[in-house]
Amino acid sequence: MLSARSEVQVDTPEVRVTEWRLAPGSATGHHIHEMDYVIVPVTAGEMTIVAPDGARSKAQLGVGKSYFRKAGVEHDVLNETGSEIVFLEIELKP
């Protein structure tokens, strides 16, 4: 699987904003979120979420339809569609 591309756009003592681009067939790689975070979809799409135990679920993204998650989330995020997925990840620093 290809690696997703990420670019940190803002990094201050309070917040880090990263743009993520998942081409078709790419993945973020397994990771644990160490901070609370907000996802802001730039494109609509469907992501496949893989939990540490291998369980798979689908997450629908709507342009500008943000969602919040607490620190500690552990997963891999895959793009198994034919279109690029783009979103902003806003991490809230303690």
Side-chain angles (χ1 to χ4, degrees):
M1 185 146 287
L2 303 170
S3 293
R5 293 184 299 138
S6 64
E7 178 186 348
V8 175
Q9 296 180 341
V10 175
D11 196 356
T12 70
E14 299 83 17
V15 66
R16 178 171 44 227
V17 178
T18 304
E19 178 188 68
W20 284 93
R21 292 184 167 271
L22 283 77
S26 70
T28 60
H30 180 87
H31 60 280
I32 299 172
H33 288 268
E34 296 180 0
M35 295 177 264
D36 293 349
Y37 65 101
V38 174
I39 297 296
V40 182
V42 175
T43 61
E46 179 181 82
M47 300 186 303
T48 301
I49 309 299
V50 182
D53 66 1
R56 298 164 67 91
S57 62
K58 301 291 185 177
Q60 300 297 320
L61 298 179
V63 176
K65 300 292 184 187
S66 304
Y67 63 89
F68 170 81
R69 296 287 185 267
K70 296 292 287 177
V73 171
E74 183 175 358
H75 58 205
D76 191 2
V77 178
L78 292 66
N79 180 356
E80 298 179 317
T81 74
S83 300
E84 182 180 51
I85 295 171
V86 181
F87 60 87
L88 298 176
E89 175 185 70
I90 303 167
E91 297 173 287
L92 308 172
K93 296 182 179 181

